[in-house]
Amino acid sequence: MSDLEDVLRGVVGDQHVLVDEDLKAQYQTDWTRRFSGEARCVVRPADTAEVAAVVRACAEAGVAVTVQGGNTGLVGGGVPAGGEVLLSLGRLTSCEDVDVLEAQVTVGAGVTLERLQQHARPHGLDVGVDLAARSAATVGGLVATNAGGIRVVRYGSMREQVTGIEAVLADGSVVTRLVGLAKDNTGYDLAQLLAGSEGTLAIVTRVRLRLVPLLPARAVALVAVDGIGGALDLLAAARAGLPALAAAELFLSEGLDLVRAHGNLAAPFAEAHPAYVVLECAARTDPTDDLLEVLGECEAVRDATVASDVTGVAKLWAYRETHTEAISAAGVPVKLDVSVPLRELAGLVADLPGTVAAAAPGARPIIFGHLGEGNLHVNVLDAGAHAEEVTDAVLRLVASRRGSISSEHGVGRAKARWLPLSRSAAEVAAMRRIKTALDPAGLLNPGVLLSE
Amino acid sequence: MSDLEDVLRGVVGDQHVLVDEDLKAQYQTDWTRRFSGEARCVVRPADTAEVAAVVRACAEAGVAVTVQGGNTGLVGGGVPAGGEVLLSLGRLTSCEDVDVLEAQVTVGAGVTLERLQQHARPHGLDVGVDLAARSAATVGGLVATNAGGIRVVRYGSMREQVTGIEAVLADGSVVTRLVGLAKDNTGYDLAQLLAGSEGTLAIVTRVRLRLVPLLPARAVALVAVDGIGGALDLLAAARAGLPALAAAELFLSEGLDLVRAHGNLAAPFAEAHPAYVVLECAARTDPTDDLLEVLGECEAVRDATVASDVTGVAKLWAYRETHTEAISAAGVPVKLDVSVPLRELAGLVADLPGTVAAAAPGARPIIFGHLGEGNLHVNVLDAGAHAEEVTDAVLRLVASRRGSISSEHGVGRAKARWLPLSRSAAEVAAMRRIKTALDPAGLLNPGVLLSE
């Protein structure tokens, strides 16, 4: 064991090769506490050159590497299976000057989303993605997992923000493409191939990102609807009538009950309703009037409350945003992230309770998510010992409705065995050929995405 | 020779295997008439299954395949080097119903852009890309080359329109992914890998595309500016102040002179100016007032004329759109398609005449293109026997300014030997490994993109 560690110490310095159990511990378990694994050691390189040297050393020793960003993923993609070198990118925190002319910036993989937002906003620019884990989630992880979040309805996923990349391949060679040209048709788009590849093809060390205009004026509506059909009618009206639409989020009555009990929140409306939609508009000038007009004209609206001041906006968002916290407080949920075509969404939501109950009697699904993409976060409480059966049943249900078993969280280790539900044998075979071409020895993130 | 042709006839029918020279001729030379090559035969399959059977037959016979769409590319990517089976996708013209809920549609690779526009528009939807070759350019070719055009400033390149793909791999296996989910993180994004791969990794046979809102109200400004600096100031003002901005095109005084002489067009302004920008806004309601306001406030504007009626709009666009035709009428140009970061654009334009003159005394560059992406179409007239030297000199100049040697036309056969100017050895090596993984025998489009 000591040979490789000595080489690694030579690369990154003694204090950045962690072998003691208590120092390794925080890296070995993910945010959910559901996934953990023993790393041979934890290595914390400072820049791309050090990452490349670490990878070369591991390749020579024949030791696999697990790559970790902010460790906020929910599918076990950033923790080792056992015995790998755990490569943490947390020290790659360089932030280059914001290029206002091109509205782009180049940052290290270890920069957190929050830090990136703070970096861009003084220039009147903002990051196109946003999500609750912003204080810990890193740019490298966001790219590797093609993160989504609440702004996808307006700006697309992380993939759409990436204009260039620097990455270390499994042989230690470095691919650098950070000019960020808006058009460049000189061959395969390696940046787009690496986005969403979950660290299995290369280790992303620096990223060039497009930025979007900073939009300071916000208006938020919490809208009650009769069900998924009504929610989709409202979405269609919002898309057609609100160019400023920045988020369209969904939750159901069970989730509202849980959130209200956990946070001691007042009922948003006099009556209870089956489903709720949060619409946010963001613009340079107050978008409230447009929002009110669309709500006034949409027949699906059963009740609505609107806010545009900071406190009021936060209050309305709390009904949606505290779902994760309220669910965690109620137990250890099975967390599944799925999406279906919009026309299948009502059917999926209707079928979920029965499917869950059949797999785990007494279990209850709490559903919320991103309406615009048909993306549901299915959290199943009280599944007891039936977590695997619930997962299998829900993912099969999603696949039967032409959906994705992983919408925005990635496959990680957690869902690798279900990948064939969403991907054909020909697709998986093509993916394996690409994996083998770029990482013939299977050193990078073994067991993640493609099961062994 | 007859064995393979017999098998192919069995697959596609006698009348769709062309071996006579006069029947093959139209397929063997591209639109520019600069690139041509002898095909062993031309095969015209009717659907994905026939394409797969053709590829399997060619693979078994060890005969390479050149794939051809509308044959409107400008880099020799769709004509054979010599001896390949030329596979034309022109009969794959299926058009599925427009999915209005998701704003998507699935069509065959042989559907022309114009046909697709006609298919989408009755539903209040439109295609996100548009370009002059719309009546001949096909969806498959647009995807394979990641086509750009005049709408990229608003909607991005063809890559951004693709939500799903069906493709035949070099072993004849078929990858189908046409659900078009807005979010799907189940592994490598094969559709994005194939987009822009110029038929070297797989043959795209069907495509699912996002559609954009049909915007019937247009306003166009032809604006005179002092040079590239002024054009970029105007671009910045247009981007900041015109959410309806749909095109931002550039041309210079030499181009205007040529266009006016060719088309017998009146001078747009009383005085001549060094550079001109065409701005187009597209919206649901007339965007003229917003356009006038931005023009009125932008100090870079030297003169401007605005139109919003169909005739007036066409008249202003003619100054930009007839460049290609006017140049072709003046000679056989060396056509180069390049882009640089916006901050390099003025320097590139300043250096081009000297660089061209040094490579080919007496030659003259006519420059126009897509301002928003720093994308210039450099057409060099009167290069005489020095076409190769001009190409080499211009592409080296572009590379020295961190640019792309192929912005939106692809690399094809024409630029394969210059690829290392824009791509590092590590990138080219990674591309070759991917190519070998998916097409180990090198059957698909040999000599295109990656030189042999």
Side-chain angles (χ1 to χ4, degrees), chain A residues 102 184 186 188 342 404 423, chain B residues 102 184 186 188 342 404 423:
Chain A
E102 303 270 7
D184 179 18
T186 52
Y188 312 152
L342 291 180
S404 169
R423 293 289 210 145
Chain B
E102 303 270 5
D184 179 17
T186 52
Y188 312 152
L342 291 180
S404 170
R423 293 289 210 145

Side-chain angles (χ1 to χ4, degrees), chain A residues 13-262:
Chain A
D14 289 358
Q15 73 276 37
H16 295 299
V17 179
L18 315 180
V19 292
D20 293 344
E21 282 308 317
D22 54 337
L23 293 175
K24 291 194 297 179
Q26 63 162 306
Y27 297 89
Q28 296 183 151
T29 299
D30 86 332
W31 183 87
T32 67
R33 312 242 146 229
R34 203 179 144 199
F35 303 102
S36 61
E38 182 82 9
R40 177 181 163 128
C41 64
V42 175
V43 186
R44 294 165 39 85
D47 56 28
T48 303
E50 288 190 8
V51 173
V54 167
V55 169
R56 277 195 300 273
C58 291
E60 274 169 35
V63 174
V65 175
T66 293
V67 190
Q68 190 173 99
N71 206 6
T72 61
L74 300 173
V75 290
V79 293
E84 299 98 317
V85 165
L86 200 164
L87 196 158
S88 167
L89 295 171
R91 291 177 64 218
L92 276 68
T93 53
S94 64
C95 272
E96 294 185 20
D97 289 345
V98 172
D99 183 338
V100 176
L101 185 63
E102 303 270 7
Q104 294 189 8
V105 68
T106 300
V107 297
V111 171
T112 64
L113 176 53
E114 190 170 76
R115 171 85 186 88
L116 179 60
Q117 290 169 336
Q118 290 164 350
H119 187 58
R121 286 176 181 168
H123 302 275
L125 296 166
D126 204 355
V127 188
V129 299
D130 197 14
L131 37 78
R134 65 184 70 84
S135 68
T138 60
V139 168
L142 296 171
V143 173
T145 60
N146 184 30
I150 58 175
R151 301 278 176 247
V152 172
V153 73
R154 181 147 183 175
Y155 298 118
S157 297
M158 197 64 188
R159 176 186 301 289
E160 279 87 354
Q161 322 308 316
V162 176
T163 66
I165 222 160
E166 180 166 272
V168 176
L169 302 182
D171 63 1
S173 65
V174 176
V175 170
T176 301
R177 191 153 199 78
L178 293 168
V179 178
L181 293 170
K183 281 186 191 164
D184 179 18
N185 279 341
T186 52
Y188 312 152
D189 193 334
L190 298 178
Q192 289 300 315
L193 178 63
L194 296 187
S197 68
E198 304 190 35
T200 60
L201 299 179
I203 301 171
V204 174
T205 56
R206 282 203 292 165
V207 181
R208 190 158 179 89
L209 294 167
R210 74 157 174 156
L211 298 170
V212 300
L214 181 64
L215 300 172
R218 298 204 290 170
V220 171
L222 175 62
V223 186
V225 291
D226 276 348
I228 303 301
L232 290 173
D233 288 348
L234 176 61
L235 172 69
R239 279 193 157 146
L242 296 171
L245 185 68
E249 298 285 305
L250 173 76
F251 58 90
L252 305 182
S253 57
E254 297 83 357
L256 178 63
D257 294 344
L258 202 65
V259 158
R260 286 189 54 209
H262 175 71

Side-chain angles (χ1 to χ4, degrees), chain B residues 23-74:
Chain B
L23 293 175
K24 291 194 297 178
Q26 64 161 305
Y27 297 90
Q28 295 184 152
T29 299
D30 86 331
W31 182 89
T32 68
R33 312 242 145 231
R34 202 176 145 201
F35 304 101
S36 60
E38 181 83 10
R40 176 181 164 129
C41 63
V42 174
V43 186
R44 296 167 34 86
D47 56 28
T48 302
E50 288 190 10
V51 173
V54 167
V55 169
R56 277 194 301 272
C58 291
E60 273 169 36
V63 175
V65 175
T66 293
V67 189
Q68 189 174 98
N71 206 7
T72 62
L74 300 172

Side-chain angles (χ1 to χ4, degrees), chain A residues 99-102 145-149 152 157 159-160 169 171 173-179 181-190 192-193 195-198 200-201 232 236 239-241 284 339-343 370 372-373 375 377 401-411 419 422-424 426-435 437-440 449-450, chain B residues 99-102 145-149 152 157 159-160 169-171 173-179 181-190 192-193 195-198 200-201 232 236 239-241 284 339-343 370 372-373 375 377 402-411 419 422-424 426-435 437-440 449-450:
Chain A
D99 183 338
V100 176
L101 185 63
E102 303 270 7
T145 60
N146 184 30
V152 172
S157 297
R159 176 186 301 289
E160 279 87 354
L169 302 182
D171 63 1
S173 65
V174 176
V175 170
T176 301
R177 191 153 199 78
L178 293 168
V179 178
L181 293 170
K183 281 186 191 164
D184 179 18
N185 279 341
T186 52
Y188 312 152
D189 193 334
L190 298 178
Q192 289 300 315
L193 178 63
S197 68
E198 304 190 35
T200 60
L201 299 179
L232 290 173
R239 279 193 157 146
R284 287 204 178 78
S339 66
V340 290
L342 291 180
R343 68 181 69 254
H370 312 292
E373 299 86 42
N375 177 190
H377 295 310
R401 292 192 175 274
R402 303 185 296 142
S404 169
I405 63 157
S406 185
S407 177
E408 61 175 11
H409 291 169
V411 172
L419 185 64
S422 274
R423 293 289 210 145
S424 69
E427 285 178 291
V428 173
M431 285 159 56
R432 283 191 190 280
R433 283 151 93 176
I434 294 166
K435 165 72 174 174
L438 294 182
D439 181 16
L449 182 46
L450 296 165
Chain B
D99 182 338
V100 176
L101 184 64
E102 303 270 5
T145 61
N146 185 29
V152 172
S157 296
R159 177 186 299 290
E160 278 88 356
L169 301 182
D171 63 0
S173 64
V174 177
V175 170
T176 302
R177 190 152 199 79
L178 293 168
V179 178
L181 292 169
K183 282 186 191 163
D184 179 17
N185 278 342
T186 52
Y188 312 152
D189 194 333
L190 299 176
Q192 289 300 315
L193 178 63
S197 68
E198 304 190 36
T200 61
L201 299 179
L232 290 174
R239 280 193 156 147
R284 288 207 176 76
S339 66
V340 290
L342 291 180
R343 66 182 70 251
H370 312 291
E373 300 85 44
N375 177 190
H377 296 309
R402 305 184 296 142
S404 170
I405 64 157
S406 185
S407 177
E408 61 174 13
H409 290 169
V411 173
L419 185 63
S422 275
R423 293 289 210 145
S424 69
E427 285 178 292
V428 173
M431 285 160 56
R432 283 193 190 278
R433 284 152 94 178
I434 294 166
K435 165 72 174 174
L438 294 182
D439 181 15
L449 181 47
L450 296 166

Side-chain angles (χ1 to χ4, degrees), chain B residues 312-448:
Chain B
V313 161
K315 219 164 148 181
L316 293 185
W317 264 112
Y319 291 105
R320 161 64 181 84
E321 283 200 324
T322 50
H323 266 70
T324 301
E325 192 183 310
I327 291 165
S328 286
V332 177
V334 179
K335 296 180 90 70
L336 299 171
D337 160 54
V338 302
S339 66
V340 290
L342 291 180
R343 66 182 70 251
E344 303 280 356
L345 194 62
L348 175 67
V349 171
D351 288 348
L352 269 168
T355 299
V356 166
R364 50 185 175 130
I366 309 294
I367 296 165
F368 61 96
H370 312 291
L371 182 62
E373 300 85 44
N375 177 190
L376 299 182
H377 296 309
V378 180
N379 284 248
V380 180
L381 284 165
D382 306 326
H386 300 286
E388 193 86 347
E389 292 92 327
V390 166
T391 300
D392 190 66
V394 171
L395 297 187
R396 284 181 192 281
L397 175 65
V398 167
S400 75
R401 292 192 176 272
R402 305 184 296 142
S404 170
I405 64 157
S406 185
S407 177
E408 61 174 13
H409 290 169
V411 173
R413 295 186 194 289
K415 291 182 178 172
R417 83 173 181 85
W418 286 284
L419 185 63
L421 286 176
S422 275
R423 293 289 210 145
S424 69
E427 285 178 292
V428 173
M431 285 160 56
R432 283 193 190 278
R433 284 152 94 178
I434 294 166
K435 165 72 174 174
T436 302
L438 294 182
D439 181 15
L443 288 173
L444 299 180
N445 280 6
V448 170

